[in-house]
Amino acid sequence: MSFELTLYDALLSIDVPPDKARAVIDALERDMGSTLATKQDLQLLRQQLEHRIDTMTMRLGSILVVALGVLFAALKLT
């Protein structure tokens, strides 16, 4: 039995009119579809974050290499 049908039956059992119960189900489905994250959404977010972390690591490493090069060059000149 689906979630919607179970909720619909529960609303009818507490004397909510059928049209109002259907409106509640429709609103719930609409809100859940637009505001909740799915497993695919979370997987995509994870991949994007991993890519950004990798990119930041490469940039930080490059900056570190350049900074150390400049530091050693300055020390050699003195």
Side-chain angles (χ1 to χ4, degrees):
M1 191 176 272
S2 72
F3 169 75
E4 293 87 5
L5 186 57
T6 303
L7 183 56
Y8 182 78
D9 289 341
L11 290 171
L12 291 180
S13 71
I14 59 170
D15 297 328
V16 174
D19 58 331
K20 301 278 187 190
R22 188 70 228 159
V24 168
I25 301 298
D26 291 339
L28 183 61
E29 286 178 343
R30 194 172 40 253
D31 286 346
M32 286 175 55
S34 63
T35 58
L36 295 180
T38 63
K39 287 182 181 180
Q40 292 84 7
D41 294 335
L42 295 177
Q43 183 64 30
L44 179 61
L45 177 62
R46 181 179 181 188
Q47 290 172 352
Q48 290 172 345
L49 288 174
E50 286 175 351
H51 176 67
R52 287 189 181 177
I53 288 172
D54 290 344
T55 302
M56 288 173 51
T57 302
M58 292 298 292
R59 284 184 183 170
L60 182 59
S62 300
I63 291 170
L64 187 59
V65 167
V66 170
L68 285 175
V70 169
L71 177 64
F72 288 138
L75 287 174
K76 191 162 186 138
L77 290 175
T78 58

Coordinates of all heavy atoms in Angstrom, one line a residue:
M1 N 0.9 -1.2 0.0 CA 0.0 0.0 0.0 C 0.9 1.2 0.0 O 1.9 1.3 0.7 CB -0.9 0.0 1.2 CG -2.0 1.0 1.2 SD -3.1 0.9 2.6 CE -4.3 -0.2 2.0
S2 N 0.6 2.2 -0.8 CA 1.4 3.4 -1.0 C 1.2 4.3 0.2 O 0.2 4.3 0.8 CB 1.2 4.1 -2.3 OG -0.1 4.7 -2.3
F3 N 2.2 5.2 0.3 CA 2.1 6.2 1.4 C 0.9 7.1 1.2 O 0.2 7.5 2.2 CB 3.4 7.0 1.4 CG 3.4 8.2 2.3 CD1 3.5 8.1 3.6 CD2 3.3 9.5 1.7 CE1 3.4 9.3 4.4 CE2 3.3 10.6 2.5 CZ 3.3 10.5 3.9
E4 N 0.7 7.5 0.0 CA -0.4 8.5 -0.3 C -1.7 7.9 0.0 O -2.6 8.5 0.6 CB -0.3 8.9 -1.8 CG 0.8 9.8 -2.2 CD 2.0 8.9 -2.6 OE1 1.9 7.7 -2.7 OE2 3.1 9.5 -2.8
L5 N -1.9 6.6 -0.4 CA -3.2 5.9 -0.1 C -3.4 5.7 1.4 O -4.5 6.0 1.9 CB -3.2 4.6 -0.9 CG -4.5 3.9 -0.8 CD1 -5.7 4.7 -1.4 CD2 -4.5 2.6 -1.6
T6 N -2.3 5.4 2.1 CA -2.4 5.2 3.5 C -2.8 6.5 4.2 O -3.7 6.6 5.1 CB -1.1 4.7 4.1 OG1 -0.8 3.5 3.4 CG2 -1.2 4.5 5.6
L7 N -2.1 7.6 3.8 CA -2.4 8.9 4.4 C -3.9 9.4 4.0 O -4.6 9.9 4.9 CB -1.4 10.0 3.9 CG -1.6 11.4 4.4 CD1 -1.5 11.4 6.0 CD2 -0.5 12.3 3.9
Y8 N -4.3 9.1 2.8 CA -5.6 9.4 2.3 C -6.6 8.7 3.2 O -7.6 9.3 3.7 CB -5.8 9.1 0.9 CG -7.1 9.4 0.3 CD1 -7.4 10.7 0.0 CD2 -8.1 8.4 0.1 CE1 -8.7 11.0 -0.6 CE2 -9.3 8.7 -0.4 CZ -9.6 10.0 -0.8 OH -10.8 10.4 -1.3
D9 N -6.4 7.4 3.4 CA -7.3 6.6 4.2 C -7.4 7.1 5.7 O -8.4 7.2 6.3 CB -7.0 5.2 4.2 CG -7.3 4.5 2.9 OD1 -8.1 5.1 2.1 OD2 -6.7 3.4 2.6
A10 N -6.2 7.5 6.2 CA -6.1 8.0 7.6 C -6.9 9.3 7.7 O -7.6 9.6 8.7 CB -4.7 8.2 8.0
L11 N -6.8 10.2 6.7 CA -7.5 11.5 6.7 C -9.0 11.2 6.6 O -9.8 11.9 7.3 CB -7.1 12.4 5.6 CG -5.7 13.0 5.7 CD1 -5.2 13.7 4.5 CD2 -5.6 13.9 6.9
L12 N -9.4 10.3 5.8 CA -10.9 10.0 5.7 C -11.4 9.4 7.0 O -12.5 9.6 7.4 CB -11.1 9.0 4.5 CG -10.9 9.6 3.1 CD1 -11.2 8.5 2.1 CD2 -11.8 10.8 2.9
S13 N -10.5 8.6 7.7 CA -11.0 8.0 8.9 C -11.2 9.0 10.0 O -12.0 8.7 11.0 CB -10.0 6.9 9.4 OG -8.8 7.5 9.9
I14 N -10.7 10.2 9.9 CA -10.9 11.2 10.9 C -11.9 12.2 10.4 O -11.9 13.4 10.8 CB -9.6 11.8 11.4 CG1 -8.8 12.5 10.3 CG2 -8.8 10.8 12.2 CD1 -7.7 13.3 10.8
D15 N -12.7 11.8 9.4 CA -13.8 12.6 8.9 C -13.4 13.9 8.1 O -14.0 14.9 8.1 CB -14.8 13.0 10.0 CG -15.5 11.8 10.6 OD1 -15.6 10.8 9.8 OD2 -15.8 11.8 11.8
V16 N -12.2 13.8 7.5 CA -11.8 14.9 6.6 C -12.5 14.6 5.2 O -12.5 13.5 4.8 CB -10.3 14.9 6.4 CG1 -9.9 15.9 5.3 CG2 -9.6 15.2 7.7
P17 N -13.2 15.6 4.7 CA -13.9 15.4 3.4 C -12.9 14.9 2.3 O -11.7 15.3 2.3 CB -14.4 16.8 3.0 CG -14.5 17.5 4.3 CD -13.4 17.0 5.1
P18 N -13.3 14.0 1.4 CA -12.4 13.4 0.4 C -11.7 14.5 -0.5 O -10.5 14.3 -0.7 CB -13.4 12.6 -0.5 CG -14.5 12.3 0.4 CD -14.7 13.4 1.3
D19 N -12.4 15.6 -0.8 CA -11.7 16.6 -1.7 C -10.6 17.3 -0.9 O -9.5 17.6 -1.4 CB -12.7 17.6 -2.2 CG -13.5 18.3 -1.2 OD1 -13.7 17.7 -0.1 OD2 -13.9 19.5 -1.4
K20 N -10.8 17.5 0.4 CA -9.8 18.2 1.3 C -8.7 17.2 1.5 O -7.5 17.6 1.5 CB -10.4 18.6 2.6 CG -11.6 19.5 2.5 CD -11.1 20.9 2.4 CE -12.3 21.9 2.5 NZ -12.0 23.2 2.1
A21 N -9.0 15.9 1.7 CA -7.9 14.9 1.9 C -7.0 14.9 0.7 O -5.8 14.8 0.7 CB -8.5 13.6 2.2
R22 N -7.6 14.9 -0.5 CA -6.9 14.8 -1.8 C -6.0 16.1 -1.9 O -4.9 16.0 -2.4 CB -7.8 14.7 -3.0 CG -7.2 14.5 -4.3 CD -6.6 13.1 -4.3 NE -5.2 13.1 -4.8 CZ -4.3 12.2 -4.6 NH1 -4.6 11.2 -4.0 NH2 -3.1 12.4 -5.1
A23 N -6.5 17.2 -1.5 CA -5.8 18.5 -1.6 C -4.5 18.4 -0.7 O -3.5 18.9 -1.0 CB -6.7 19.7 -1.2
V24 N -4.7 17.8 0.5 CA -3.6 17.6 1.4 C -2.5 16.7 0.8 O -1.3 17.1 0.8 CB -4.1 17.0 2.8 CG1 -2.9 16.6 3.6 CG2 -4.9 18.1 3.5
I25 N -2.9 15.6 0.2 CA -2.0 14.7 -0.4 C -1.3 15.4 -1.6 O -0.1 15.3 -1.7 CB -2.7 13.5 -1.0 CG1 -3.5 12.7 0.2 CG2 -1.8 12.5 -1.7 CD1 -2.6 12.2 1.3
D26 N -2.0 16.1 -2.4 CA -1.4 16.8 -3.5 C -0.4 17.9 -3.1 O 0.7 18.0 -3.6 CB -2.4 17.5 -4.4 CG -3.3 16.5 -5.2 OD1 -2.9 15.3 -5.3 OD2 -4.4 16.9 -5.6
A27 N -0.7 18.6 -2.0 CA 0.2 19.7 -1.5 C 1.4 19.0 -0.9 O 2.6 19.5 -1.1 CB -0.5 20.5 -0.5
L28 N 1.2 17.9 -0.2 CA 2.4 17.2 0.4 C 3.3 16.7 -0.7 O 4.5 16.8 -0.6 CB 1.9 16.0 1.2 CG 2.9 15.2 2.0 CD1 3.7 16.1 3.0 CD2 2.2 14.1 2.8
E29 N 2.8 16.1 -1.8 CA 3.6 15.5 -2.9 C 4.3 16.7 -3.5 O 5.5 16.5 -3.9 CB 2.7 14.8 -3.9 CG 2.2 13.5 -3.4 CD 1.3 12.8 -4.4 OE1 0.8 13.5 -5.4 OE2 1.1 11.6 -4.3
R30 N 3.7 17.8 -3.8 CA 4.3 18.9 -4.4 C 5.5 19.5 -3.6 O 6.6 19.7 -4.1 CB 3.3 20.0 -4.7 CG 3.6 21.1 -5.6 CD 2.5 22.0 -6.0 NE 1.6 22.4 -4.9 CZ 0.4 21.9 -4.7 NH1 -0.1 21.0 -5.6 NH2 -0.4 22.3 -3.7
D31 N 5.2 19.6 -2.3 CA 6.3 20.1 -1.4 C 7.4 19.2 -1.3 O 8.6 19.6 -1.3 CB 5.7 20.4 0.0 CG 4.9 21.7 0.0 OD1 4.9 22.5 -1.0 OD2 4.1 21.9 1.0
M32 N 7.1 17.9 -1.1 CA 8.2 16.9 -1.0 C 9.0 16.8 -2.3 O 10.2 16.6 -2.2 CB 7.6 15.5 -0.6 CG 7.1 15.5 0.8 SD 6.3 13.9 1.2 CE 7.5 12.7 0.8
G33 N 8.4 17.0 -3.4 CA 9.1 16.9 -4.7 C 10.0 18.1 -4.9 O 11.0 17.9 -5.6
S34 N 9.7 19.2 -4.3 CA 10.5 20.4 -4.6 C 11.5 20.8 -3.5 O 12.4 21.5 -3.7 CB 9.6 21.6 -4.9 OG 8.8 21.9 -3.7
T35 N 11.3 20.2 -2.3 CA 12.1 20.7 -1.2 C 13.0 19.6 -0.6 O 14.0 19.9 0.1 CB 11.3 21.3 0.0 OG1 10.4 20.3 0.4 CG2 10.5 22.5 -0.4
L36 N 12.7 18.3 -0.8 CA 13.5 17.3 -0.2 C 14.6 16.8 -1.2 O 14.4 16.8 -2.4 CB 12.6 16.1 0.2 CG 11.6 16.3 1.3 CD1 10.8 15.0 1.6 CD2 12.3 16.8 2.6
A37 N 15.7 16.5 -0.6 CA 16.8 16.0 -1.5 C 16.7 14.5 -1.7 O 16.4 13.8 -0.7 CB 18.2 16.3 -0.8
T38 N 16.9 14.0 -2.9 CA 16.9 12.6 -3.2 C 18.3 12.0 -3.0 O 19.3 12.8 -2.9 CB 16.4 12.4 -4.6 OG1 17.3 12.9 -5.5 CG2 15.0 12.9 -4.8
K39 N 18.4 10.7 -3.1 CA 19.7 10.1 -3.0 C 20.6 10.6 -4.2 O 21.8 10.8 -4.0 CB 19.6 8.6 -3.1 CG 19.1 8.0 -1.8 CD 19.0 6.5 -1.9 CE 18.5 5.9 -0.6 NZ 18.4 4.4 -0.7
Q40 N 20.0 10.8 -5.4 CA 20.7 11.3 -6.5 C 21.2 12.7 -6.3 O 22.4 13.0 -6.7 CB 19.9 11.2 -7.8 CG 19.6 9.8 -8.3 CD 18.3 9.2 -7.6 OE1 17.6 9.9 -6.8 NE2 18.1 7.9 -7.8
D41 N 20.4 13.5 -5.7 CA 20.8 14.9 -5.4 C 22.0 14.9 -4.4 O 23.0 15.6 -4.7 CB 19.7 15.7 -4.7 CG 18.5 15.9 -5.6 OD1 18.7 15.9 -6.8 OD2 17.4 16.1 -5.0
L42 N 22.0 14.1 -3.4 CA 23.1 14.0 -2.5 C 24.4 13.4 -3.1 O 25.5 13.9 -2.8 CB 22.7 13.2 -1.2 CG 21.6 13.8 -0.4 CD1 21.2 12.8 0.7 CD2 21.9 15.1 0.1
Q43 N 24.2 12.4 -4.0 CA 25.4 11.9 -4.7 C 26.0 12.9 -5.6 O 27.2 13.0 -5.6 CB 25.0 10.6 -5.5 CG 26.1 10.0 -6.2 CD 27.1 9.4 -5.2 OE1 26.8 9.0 -4.1 NE2 28.4 9.4 -5.6
L44 N 25.2 13.7 -6.3 CA 25.7 14.8 -7.2 C 26.4 15.8 -6.3 O 27.5 16.3 -6.7 CB 24.6 15.4 -8.0 CG 25.0 16.5 -8.9 CD1 26.0 16.1 -9.9 CD2 23.7 17.1 -9.5
L45 N 25.9 16.2 -5.2 CA 26.5 17.2 -4.3 C 27.8 16.6 -3.8 O 28.8 17.4 -3.8 CB 25.6 17.5 -3.1 CG 26.1 18.4 -2.1 CD1 26.4 19.8 -2.7 CD2 25.2 18.6 -0.9
R46 N 27.9 15.4 -3.5 CA 29.1 14.8 -3.0 C 30.2 14.8 -4.0 O 31.3 15.2 -3.8 CB 28.9 13.3 -2.5 CG 30.1 12.7 -2.0 CD 29.8 11.2 -1.6 NE 31.0 10.6 -1.0 CZ 31.1 9.4 -0.7 NH1 30.1 8.6 -0.8 NH2 32.2 8.9 -0.3
Q47 N 29.8 14.5 -5.3 CA 30.8 14.5 -6.4 C 31.3 15.9 -6.6 O 32.5 16.1 -6.8 CB 30.2 13.9 -7.6 CG 29.9 12.5 -7.6 CD 29.1 12.0 -8.8 OE1 28.6 12.7 -9.6 NE2 29.0 10.6 -8.9
Q48 N 30.4 16.9 -6.6 CA 30.8 18.3 -6.8 C 31.8 18.7 -5.7 O 32.8 19.4 -6.0 CB 29.6 19.2 -6.9 CG 28.8 19.0 -8.1 CD 27.5 19.8 -8.1 OE1 27.0 20.3 -7.0 NE2 26.8 19.9 -9.2
L49 N 31.5 18.4 -4.4 CA 32.3 18.8 -3.3 C 33.7 18.1 -3.4 O 34.7 18.8 -3.2 CB 31.6 18.5 -2.0 CG 30.5 19.3 -1.6 CD1 29.8 18.8 -0.3 CD2 30.9 20.8 -1.4
E50 N 33.7 16.8 -3.8 CA 35.0 16.1 -3.9 C 35.8 16.8 -5.0 O 37.0 17.0 -4.9 CB 34.8 14.7 -4.2 CG 34.3 13.9 -3.0 CD 33.9 12.4 -3.4 OE1 33.9 12.1 -4.6 OE2 33.7 11.7 -2.4
H51 N 35.2 17.2 -6.1 CA 35.9 17.8 -7.2 C 36.5 19.2 -6.7 O 37.6 19.5 -7.0 CB 35.0 18.0 -8.4 CG 35.6 18.8 -9.5 ND1 36.7 18.3 -10.3 CD2 35.4 20.0 -10.0 CE1 37.0 19.2 -11.2 NE2 36.2 20.3 -11.0
R52 N 35.7 19.9 -6.0 CA 36.2 21.3 -5.5 C 37.3 21.1 -4.5 O 38.2 21.9 -4.5 CB 35.0 22.0 -4.9 CG 34.1 22.6 -6.0 CD 33.0 23.5 -5.4 NE 32.2 23.9 -6.4 CZ 31.1 24.7 -6.2 NH1 30.9 25.2 -5.0 NH2 30.4 25.1 -7.2
I53 N 37.2 20.1 -3.7 CA 38.3 19.8 -2.7 C 39.6 19.5 -3.4 O 40.6 20.0 -3.1 CB 37.9 18.8 -1.7 CG1 36.8 19.3 -0.7 CG2 39.1 18.3 -0.9 CD1 36.2 18.3 0.2
D54 N 39.5 18.6 -4.5 CA 40.6 18.3 -5.3 C 41.2 19.5 -5.9 O 42.5 19.7 -5.9 CB 40.3 17.2 -6.3 CG 40.0 15.9 -5.7 OD1 40.3 15.6 -4.6 OD2 39.3 15.0 -6.4
T55 N 40.4 20.3 -6.5 CA 40.8 21.6 -7.1 C 41.5 22.5 -6.1 O 42.6 23.0 -6.4 CB 39.7 22.3 -7.8 OG1 39.0 21.4 -8.7 CG2 40.1 23.5 -8.5
M56 N 40.9 22.6 -5.0 CA 41.5 23.5 -3.9 C 42.9 23.0 -3.5 O 43.8 23.7 -3.2 CB 40.6 23.7 -2.8 CG 39.4 24.5 -3.1 SD 38.1 24.6 -1.8 CE 39.0 25.0 -0.3
T57 N 43.0 21.6 -3.4 CA 44.2 21.0 -2.9 C 45.3 21.3 -4.0 O 46.5 21.6 -3.6 CB 44.0 19.5 -2.8 OG1 43.0 19.3 -1.8 CG2 45.3 18.8 -2.3
M58 N 45.0 21.2 -5.2 CA 46.0 21.5 -6.3 C 46.4 22.9 -6.3 O 47.6 23.2 -6.4 CB 45.4 21.1 -7.7 CG 45.2 19.6 -7.9 SD 46.7 18.7 -7.8 CE 47.5 19.2 -9.3
R59 N 45.5 23.8 -6.1 CA 45.8 25.2 -6.0 C 46.7 25.6 -4.8 O 47.6 26.3 -4.9 CB 44.5 26.1 -6.0 CG 43.8 26.2 -7.3 CD 42.6 27.1 -7.2 NE 41.9 27.1 -8.4 CZ 40.7 27.7 -8.6 NH1 40.1 28.3 -7.6 NH2 40.1 27.7 -9.8
L60 N 46.3 25.0 -3.7 CA 47.1 25.3 -2.5 C 48.5 24.7 -2.6 O 49.5 25.3 -2.3 CB 46.4 24.6 -1.3 CG 47.1 24.8 0.1 CD1 47.2 26.3 0.4 CD2 46.4 24.1 1.2
G61 N 48.6 23.5 -3.2 CA 50.0 23.0 -3.5 C 50.8 23.8 -4.4 O 52.0 24.1 -4.2
S62 N 50.1 24.4 -5.5 CA 50.8 25.2 -6.4 C 51.3 26.5 -5.7 O 52.4 27.0 -5.9 CB 49.9 25.6 -7.6 OG 49.5 24.4 -8.3
I63 N 50.4 27.1 -4.9 CA 50.8 28.3 -4.2 C 51.9 28.1 -3.2 O 52.9 28.9 -3.1 CB 49.6 28.9 -3.4 CG1 48.5 29.4 -4.4 CG2 50.0 30.0 -2.4 CD1 47.2 29.7 -3.8
L64 N 51.9 26.9 -2.6 CA 53.0 26.5 -1.6 C 54.3 26.4 -2.4 O 55.3 26.9 -1.9 CB 52.6 25.3 -0.9 CG 53.5 24.8 0.2 CD1 53.6 25.9 1.3 CD2 53.0 23.5 0.8
V65 N 54.3 25.7 -3.5 CA 55.5 25.6 -4.3 C 56.1 26.9 -4.7 O 57.3 27.2 -4.6 CB 55.3 24.6 -5.5 CG1 56.4 24.7 -6.5 CG2 55.0 23.2 -5.0
V66 N 55.3 27.8 -5.2 CA 55.7 29.1 -5.7 C 56.2 29.9 -4.5 O 57.3 30.5 -4.6 CB 54.6 29.9 -6.4 CG1 54.9 31.3 -6.7 CG2 54.2 29.2 -7.7
A67 N 55.5 29.9 -3.4 CA 55.9 30.7 -2.2 C 57.3 30.2 -1.7 O 58.1 31.0 -1.3 CB 54.9 30.6 -1.1
L68 N 57.5 28.9 -1.6 CA 58.7 28.3 -1.2 C 59.9 28.7 -2.1 O 61.0 29.0 -1.7 CB 58.7 26.8 -1.0 CG 57.9 26.4 0.3 CD1 57.7 24.9 0.3 CD2 58.6 26.9 1.5
G69 N 59.6 28.7 -3.4 CA 60.6 29.1 -4.4 C 61.0 30.5 -4.3 O 62.2 30.8 -4.3
V70 N 60.0 31.4 -4.0 CA 60.3 32.8 -3.8 C 61.1 32.9 -2.5 O 62.1 33.7 -2.5 CB 59.1 33.6 -3.8 CG1 59.3 35.0 -3.3 CG2 58.4 33.6 -5.2
L71 N 60.7 32.2 -1.5 CA 61.4 32.3 -0.2 C 62.9 31.9 -0.3 O 63.8 32.5 0.1 CB 60.7 31.5 0.9 CG 61.4 31.4 2.2 CD1 61.4 32.8 2.9 CD2 60.7 30.4 3.1
F72 N 63.1 30.7 -1.0 CA 64.5 30.2 -1.1 C 65.3 31.1 -2.0 O 66.5 31.3 -1.8 CB 64.5 28.8 -1.6 CG 64.0 27.8 -0.6 CD1 63.2 26.7 -1.0 CD2 64.4 27.8 0.7 CE1 62.7 25.8 0.0 CE2 64.0 26.9 1.6 CZ 63.1 25.9 1.3
A73 N 64.7 31.7 -3.0 CA 65.4 32.6 -3.9 C 65.8 33.9 -3.1 O 66.9 34.4 -3.2 CB 64.5 33.0 -5.1
A74 N 64.9 34.4 -2.3 CA 65.2 35.5 -1.5 C 66.3 35.2 -0.5 O 67.2 36.1 -0.2 CB 63.9 36.0 -0.7
L75 N 66.3 34.0 0.1 CA 67.3 33.7 1.1 C 68.7 33.5 0.4 O 69.7 33.8 1.0 CB 66.9 32.4 1.8 CG 65.8 32.5 2.8 CD1 65.5 31.1 3.3 CD2 66.2 33.4 4.0
K76 N 68.7 33.0 -0.8 CA 69.9 32.8 -1.5 C 70.6 34.2 -1.9 O 71.8 34.3 -2.0 CB 69.7 32.0 -2.8 CG 71.0 31.5 -3.5 CD 70.7 30.4 -4.4 CE 72.0 29.9 -4.9 NZ 72.1 28.5 -4.9
L77 N 69.7 35.2 -2.1 CA 70.2 36.5 -2.5 C 70.8 37.3 -1.3 O 71.6 38.2 -1.5 CB 69.1 37.4 -3.1 CG 68.6 37.0 -4.5 CD1 67.4 37.8 -4.9 CD2 69.7 37.1 -5.5
T78 N 70.4 36.9 -0.1 CA 70.9 37.6 1.0 C 72.2 37.0 1.6 O 72.7 36.0 1.3 CB 69.9 37.6 2.2 OG1 69.6 36.3 2.5 CG2 68.7 38.4 1.8

